Amino acid sequence: MDTYIERTSYYIDGDWQQPLGSETYAVVSPSTEDEIGRIPVAGAKDVDAAVAAARRALDGPDAPWAAASPAERADAMERFAAAVEARADQLGRLVTRQNGMPISMSPLVNGYGPAAILRYYAGLARTLQWEERRPSFTGTSTLVRREPVGVVAAIVPWNYPQALAMTKIAPALAAGCTVVLKPALETSLDAYVLAEAAAEAGLPPGVLNIVPGGLEAGETLVSHPGVDKVAFTGSTPAGRAIAEVCGRLLRPVTLELGGKSAAIVLDDADLEAVTAGLATVSFANNGQTCHLSTRILAPASRYEEVLDAVTALADGFTVGDPLDPATAVGPLVSARQRDRVEGYIASAHSEGARRTTRRTRRPDRGWYVEPTVFGDVRPEMTIAQEEIFGPVLAVTPYSSDEEALALANGTEFGLGGTVWTADVERGADIARRVRTGSIGVNGYALDLHSPFGGRGASGLGRELGPEGISAYLEWKSVYLPS
């Protein structure tokens, strides 16, 4: 099952096409540090070919996707969903081999979940009012239409490669757009399986094109004259650079960026329930999740009690082979990411934070960082302000609800967050006052039917829910005579 995988082509225009350059990339297992595959790296000419194919599928009366009705698009998307779902276990295992995601969660978020997203937006395509006639104040009427924005450049990171790709692909296809997907090099092997599913589903040529690449491919896509809209998930610095280009080009852009979310533990919270929830809310995917509650705000009256409970949770995780179903925390995606996280741990020590978790022995090979908790974290410390993207939590005391809110709102980010309390109504009142795009009371789980996105340095626009398709639509008014 886990053989070496070598890919030598790209999925462009409904077929496998040879690269126009010679650069390749070695995909390395983060748990063994062994090379597990190799792929070609797309350059500017490969991106040109993919964008041209997407444009052909979109423009003109004979273009296959432009000519398709919403119901026909929905049919194709449902076939695509079935093909993805049939590959869910394969996709899950392949993603785990590439980025270290625990296998206990990987098939769901990289296979079954993306299939569900496709089916959700297929349903919206069937039911959305694509055209309506409105009476005009002049006594005539106006035909108001929803139309596809055009060719979409979808750029996704390595942490949830299939789920994050589908939050862009599915609403784009439902809207009638065509897509050029650039997966991250670290998790490109699974993108080929996605391409195979698209081909099996009979998506018309050029509707979905996949070109794994690095900085050159990304920059080419963002600024390409044949691209009409950019959808990006990744770091805040990269998002700012993309926003600058799109602003100059007056090009629509959706940005889902970093986070530094807070878990506000209220004074009446049940600590057993809190720690059970934080296992996923704060540590999911080895800490490599943008919306995680990585700052724990604890009432001063219960501070040591909360700190001890969070510490025991982190110390109790099984760290090891991500392909072992018993593993709770696997390796980070790369040596570079491990070194980055360890740099934040060193900064916490140097700035006076108190490490409360024990130092456990890591596996002899692989890019592991053990789950780490720091107490006595002041709000100005680096680990309280910057996104770490690893299994590291900062615990900070507060003396009142107002101070907890000030701390929760005290970073440039606004993506996720949680409130923990025995009184759900009190928790909802606190949640309403946190400046963030999403927040949970006594838990946190993305909802396909509701918008997800950030405020401030956490991004622009929303994905998921009916709001998610809006970013891929343009409005047109056709003024009709009486």
Side-chain angles (χ1 to χ4, degrees):
M1 182 183 293
D2 294 336
T3 58
Y4 185 88
I5 301 171
E6 184 169 11
R7 297 287 192 169
T8 59
S9 57
Y10 306 121
Y11 186 69
I12 297 175
D13 207 16
D15 201 357
W16 299 103
Q17 297 193 14
Q18 292 303 304
L20 298 174
S22 58
E23 185 181 357
T24 63
Y25 178 85
V27 181
V28 177
S29 163
S31 58
T32 66
E33 302 179 45
D34 293 329
E35 184 175 325
I36 61 173
R38 186 168 289 272
I39 57 166
V41 177
K45 292 182 179 179
D46 301 298
V47 170
D48 287 342
V51 173
R55 179 60 62 190
R56 286 192 297 272
L58 183 72
D59 286 345
D62 297 325
W65 205 236
S69 68
E72 289 169 335
R73 293 200 298 270
D75 288 343
M77 292 173 66
E78 287 170 353
R79 294 194 303 271
F80 191 13
V84 169
E85 189 171 66
R87 293 165 170 79
D89 292 337
Q90 178 188 4
L91 285 164
R93 190 172 183 91
L94 194 49
V95 170
T96 291
R97 293 180 65 202
Q98 294 172 101
N99 71 2
M101 177 183 291
I103 194 64
S104 57
M105 69 182 298
S106 192
L108 174 62
V109 298
N110 292 297
Y112 297 106
I117 296 171
L118 271 168
R119 291 191 176 106
Y120 173 75
Y121 281 105
L124 278 186
R126 293 187 191 281
T127 59
L128 196 66
Q129 186 174 9
W130 293 94
E131 198 171 86
E132 63 175 300
R133 191 181 294 260
R134 299 179 185 176
S136 169
F137 77 97
T138 63
T140 59
S141 62
T142 300
L143 194 65
V144 179
R145 290 173 46 81
R146 289 180 169 98
E147 297 184 348
V149 69
V151 174
V152 174
I155 302 173
V156 298
W158 43 259
N159 58 331
Y160 290 85
Q162 291 295 315
L164 293 173
M166 202 56 74
T167 60
K168 297 157 182 59
I169 294 169
L173 297 188
C177 299
T178 57
V179 179
V180 178
L181 173 68
K182 190 199 82 65
L185 291 171
E186 293 89 342
T187 49
S188 287
L189 296 176
D190 56 292
Y192 285 87
V193 179
L194 181 67
E196 291 166 356
E200 179 183 298
L203 288 188
V207 171
L208 176 62
N209 309 273
I210 302 178
V211 282
L215 184 61
E216 180 186 2
E219 290 180 341
T220 302
L221 260 179
V222 169
S223 61
H224 200 287
V227 166
D228 300 298
K229 187 243 175 355
V230 175
F232 171 79
T233 297
S235 72
T236 295
R240 287 193 169 109
I242 290 169
E244 288 180 3
V245 174
C246 291
R248 174 171 50 82
L249 296 173
L250 299 179
R251 178 165 294 168
V253 61
T254 301
L255 302 170
E256 197 267 282
L257 307 178
K260 193 67 185 176
S261 303
I264 304 173
V265 181
L266 297 181
D267 52 15
D268 64 350
D270 177 349
L271 279 192
E272 185 176 343
V274 171
T275 53
L278 291 183
T280 54
V281 166
S282 297
F283 286 103
N285 195 18
N286 316 327
Q288 299 176 134
T289 305
C290 55
H291 58 69
L292 293 184
S293 295
T294 55
R295 293 183 295 141
I296 313 300
L297 307 182
S301 61
R302 303 182 67 187
Y303 181 70
E304 291 297 332
E305 182 187 4
V306 172
L307 181 59
D308 288 346
V310 175
T311 300
L313 168 69
D315 279 339
F317 284 130
T318 299
V319 179
D321 180 2
L323 290 170
D324 184 343
T327 293
V329 176
L332 301 187
V333 69
S334 65
R336 177 183 178 185
Q337 183 67 10
R338 177 204 58 196
D339 294 345
R340 180 178 182 274
V341 173
E342 288 183 340
Y344 278 108
I345 291 173
S347 77
H349 285 295
S350 67
E351 293 175 21
R354 170 168 56 109
R355 180 174 182 152
T356 58
T357 43
R358 64 176 182 262
R359 295 179 184 274
T360 57
R361 182 178 178 181
R362 307 174 187 175
D364 293 334
R365 300 181 69 191
W367 300 312
Y368 290 86
V369 173
E370 64 267 26
T372 304
V373 175
F374 283 98
D376 304 338
V377 176
R378 301 185 304 276
E380 70 274 12
M381 287 182 176
T382 303
I383 63 165
Q385 290 294 321
E386 298 184 13
E387 184 177 43
I388 298 173
F389 227 60
V392 181
L393 302 189
V395 187
T396 298
Y398 68 86
S399 58
S400 67
D401 288 357
E402 293 302 318
E403 184 182 7
L405 283 163
L407 290 169
N409 293 329
T411 75
E412 65 175 343
F413 299 102
L415 186 59
T418 50
V419 181
W420 302 86
T421 177
D423 184 341
V424 172
E425 288 304 315
R426 180 189 177 196
D429 287 341
I430 294 289
R432 290 185 182 100
R433 299 173 63 190
V434 179
R435 291 195 305 271
T436 186
S438 60
I439 188 166
V441 176
N442 294 338
Y444 184 98
L446 296 186
D447 174 18
L448 295 186
H449 300 82
S450 305
F452 173 75
R455 299 172 63 171
S458 290
L460 299 170
R462 293 295 182 267
E463 296 180 319
L464 298 179
E467 293 80 5
I469 198 172
S470 298
Y472 300 92
L473 293 169
E474 293 280 13
W475 290 93
K476 178 190 285 183
S477 293
V478 181
Y479 307 121
L480 300 173
S482 56

